[in-house]
Amino acid sequence: MAYYPEPVARLIDALQKLPGIGPKTAQRLTFFLLKRPTEEVTALSEAIARVKAQIVNCSICFNVTEEDPCQICSDPARDARLLCVVEEPNDLLAMERTGQYRGRYHVLLGVLSPLDGIGPEDLRVRELLARLEGQPADEVILATNPNVEGEATAIYLAKLLKSLAPRVTRIARGLPVGGDLEYADEVTLGKALEGRREMG
Amino acid sequence: MPLRKTQAVVIGRMALGESDRLVTFYARDCGKVRGVAKGARRPRSRFGSGLELFTQGQLLFFETERSDLARVDSFDILHSFQSVRENLERLMYGSWAVECLGRLSADRDPNPALYGLLLRTLKALETPCRPPRAAFCFALRAVDLLGHRLRLDRCLKCGTPSPFGSKSGRLDFTAGGLVCEPCATYGSDGVDLSGLAVGGLRRLRTLSWDEALRAVLPPALEVEMAGVLEAQMARLIGQVPRTTRFRTQARRALGVNGGSP
């Protein structure tokens, strides 16, 4: 990066550290920012600094929040006997968008991944167990992703939670709404059949 | 951009960009192939569940001139090995096998025998056989197929035939085999090995795959032999496999004891 002035090289280097951003994209973003008005770029840098300074993890559910405990954990209208376990705060937002869930959450801040060497001690599993010991739930919903890492996490948690919750459930897997049956692969279709339910 | 078609098994995957996936395959005709599957993380992706770990399928990909990464066109499932993914112990040992394979093999270096061994291992993990034994048998044969076979029949330095009676030997990884106790150099790069373990390793090498899976071994001996292979893998890879770290943590948390791999 000898061709660039030092601040430009530094920004390209910083942007490259973001997920999914390679050297070319980092360079393009840097030159895009150089062309934008000063106030717009200042607003962006302030927003980045503020999010880091003001956002913390909720000490109960580990969701990202401005105040601790978060709005969901401190909402008395939420059903405290229903707990949904998700991988990341993004998954919590996706669940909230359904508008159908009125219980509380626990964010693991990751997922078990044998190939990446990410084990239970790297997630908020111990905190989940302590939480359930102190505040029992009637049902724990395991809402991890339906991939190998999410499945491993769900299987592992189901084993651990057997003695702590009377009901441990897993979100359904199968066909996406609007999808075509003929294009579904055998594993997805098998899961959809496995999770079928009675109508009427 | 030549189009290639081959049978392959998914041995690794990671998220790439907004909705793509970087997938590592071990292909029968091409060896290790890393490729980008566009849009594979979208719920309605045409890849469906095909790109899950251990899935065997028919891979169609384009070679690209600008990068070592291929462009995955399609991957039609031949066998999903779903039951291996849905059992924590089988998943741990299967992951250990594919991690070792991925780290020890070079890109585009075909080895059909190794591909066959990988399939046999995954099929064994689907059966009631003990997962540690399947992983152990995989490792024992994989190091041979990759050209890292250790010499166990005699001391590499003085030529004394093994096993060395009541005395133990030392498996010297740098020297490439067994050395007897008097010849062993203190602090050499290797592990101590009992005469029983030497005999056990030699026997398992000669047995057929099914016989090796079924062979009855004292638990302590199996743990010792598995430890040797784990050490050799760590030596060849340059670090302890990540899956070993995962297994240690998971076992600790679930209160399960057991040997390696």
Side-chain angles (χ1 to χ4, degrees):
Chain A
M1 283 210 226
Y3 330 106
Y4 302 122
E6 197 267 357
V8 172
R10 213 155 60 137
L11 182 58
I12 292 175
D13 196 38
L15 288 170
Q16 268 189 72
K17 289 177 185 156
L18 297 175
I21 306 279
K24 288 268 180 222
T25 311
Q27 187 182 313
R28 210 167 54 236
L29 289 173
T30 302
F31 285 101
F32 171 80
L33 289 171
L34 276 174
K35 284 185 200 157
R36 303 309 298 168
T38 308
E39 53 273 24
E40 204 176 293
V41 178
T42 310
L44 175 67
S45 67
E46 276 174 6
I48 294 171
R50 271 185 64 186
V51 82
K52 197 64 197 161
Q54 294 177 1
I55 298 296
V56 291
N57 284 114
C58 170
S59 57
I60 299 171
C61 72
F62 299 96
N63 183 22
V64 287
T65 177
E66 247 183 307
E67 58 218 27
D68 186 18
C70 70
Q71 275 185 354
I72 295 175
C73 287
S74 49
D75 182 354
R78 288 274 181 166
D79 186 352
R81 309 284 300 179
L82 191 58
L83 191 69
C84 179
V85 180
V86 292
E87 291 176 17
E88 298 286 352
N90 283 345
D91 302 324
L92 184 153
L93 294 176
M95 290 293 285
E96 281 298 284
R97 274 200 299 271
T98 65
Q100 291 181 21
Y101 180 71
R102 296 300 301 159
R104 294 195 174 158
Y105 293 94
H106 187 88
V107 185
L108 294 169
L109 296 180
V111 66
L112 295 183
S113 177
L115 284 174
D116 297 313
I118 301 172
E121 289 163 25
D122 303 311
L123 312 180
R124 300 291 182 179
V125 174
R126 206 174 300 136
E127 290 82 352
L128 171 65
L129 301 181
R131 185 176 172 186
L132 284 168
E133 269 166 14
Q135 194 183 29
D138 293 332
E139 182 178 352
V140 177
I141 304 167
L142 301 174
T144 50
N145 286 327
N147 54 28
V148 66
E149 293 84 5
E151 284 300 324
T153 310
I155 296 166
Y156 172 78
L157 288 178
K159 278 187 184 179
L160 285 182
L161 299 176
K162 222 164 22 185
S163 58
L164 288 170
R167 207 163 164 234
V168 180
T169 55
R170 176 92 173 101
I171 50 163
R173 289 152 292 171
L175 297 166
V177 176
D180 282 349
L181 212 67
E182 67 170 311
Y183 291 117
D185 62 80
E186 51 267 48
V187 178
T188 309
L189 209 48
K191 287 286 170 198
L193 267 173
E194 210 178 281
R196 71 188 187 278
R197 61 178 189 185
E198 219 164 285
M199 291 190 72
Chain B
M1 285 207 301
L3 184 66
R4 306 279 308 261
K5 189 177 181 181
T6 175
Q7 272 188 25
V9 171
V10 177
I11 62 165
R13 47 203 269 295
M14 60 184 279
L16 184 73
E18 193 104 319
S19 60
D20 306 338
R21 214 178 261 299
L22 177 59
V23 189
T24 310
F25 299 94
Y26 197 80
R28 188 183 56 193
D29 307 321
C30 319
K32 191 168 78 177
V33 175
R34 291 180 304 134
V36 177
K38 288 272 178 195
R41 279 156 57 216
R42 292 187 202 278
R44 286 187 208 168
S45 152
R46 65 202 156 96
F47 294 105
S49 67
L51 300 177
E52 287 296 292
L53 197 66
F54 309 136
T55 305
Q56 182 203 12
Q58 194 71 46
L59 170 67
L60 196 63
F61 68 98
F62 293 98
E63 306 272 12
T64 52
E65 282 160 17
R66 288 191 308 166
S67 156
D68 290 340
L69 296 177
R71 234 180 67 194
V72 182
D73 184 72
S74 66
F75 189 66
D76 297 326
I77 301 174
L78 293 173
H79 194 103
S80 73
F81 290 107
Q82 194 185 339
S83 60
V84 181
R85 292 194 297 267
E86 291 183 346
N87 176 296
L88 204 55
E89 202 191 10
R90 291 171 196 280
L91 170 68
M92 286 194 288
Y93 287 100
S95 301
W96 185 83
V98 296
E99 183 189 1
C100 293
L101 176 64
R103 284 170 170 242
L104 290 176
S105 52
D107 283 3
R108 313 292 166 98
D109 181 16
N111 190 336
L114 201 51
Y115 176 76
L117 175 65
L118 173 64
L119 277 184
R120 277 204 302 277
T121 307
L122 291 172
K123 281 181 181 156
L125 286 170
E126 280 190 317
T127 66
C129 106
R130 289 181 54 247
R133 175 64 69 86
F136 173 76
C137 290
F138 166 82
L140 196 63
R141 283 158 171 75
V143 289
D144 282 4
L145 290 171
L146 287 161
H148 302 291
R149 186 185 182 115
L150 294 168
R151 188 160 184 184
L152 298 172
D153 61 335
R154 56 186 62 245
C155 171
L156 287 176
K157 291 190 181 164
C158 67
T160 308
S162 75
F164 311 118
S166 58
K167 289 178 182 169
S168 64
R170 188 165 175 81
L171 205 51
D172 189 324
F173 295 132
T174 310
L178 199 65
V179 283
C180 66
E181 211 175 340
C183 294
T185 322
Y186 177 75
S188 68
D189 178 20
V191 288
D192 292 330
L193 198 62
S194 68
L196 275 176
V198 173
L201 286 170
R202 286 177 62 183
R203 187 177 150 229
L204 282 179
R205 270 182 182 173
T206 55
L207 291 176
S208 73
W209 175 255
D210 289 331
E211 286 169 341
L213 287 180
R214 284 197 307 263
V216 181
L217 295 168
L221 178 63
E222 190 158 6
V223 169
E224 184 187 357
M225 294 195 301
V228 169
L229 280 175
E230 180 88 55
Q232 192 189 4
M233 280 295 181
R235 168 70 164 69
L236 293 171
I237 290 171
Q239 65 182 88
V240 174
R242 288 174 181 161
T243 36
T244 304
R245 181 178 179 267
F246 172 85
R247 200 172 59 223
T248 311
Q249 273 198 29
R251 277 190 164 149
R252 196 162 43 219
L254 291 170
V256 182
N257 295 315
S260 54

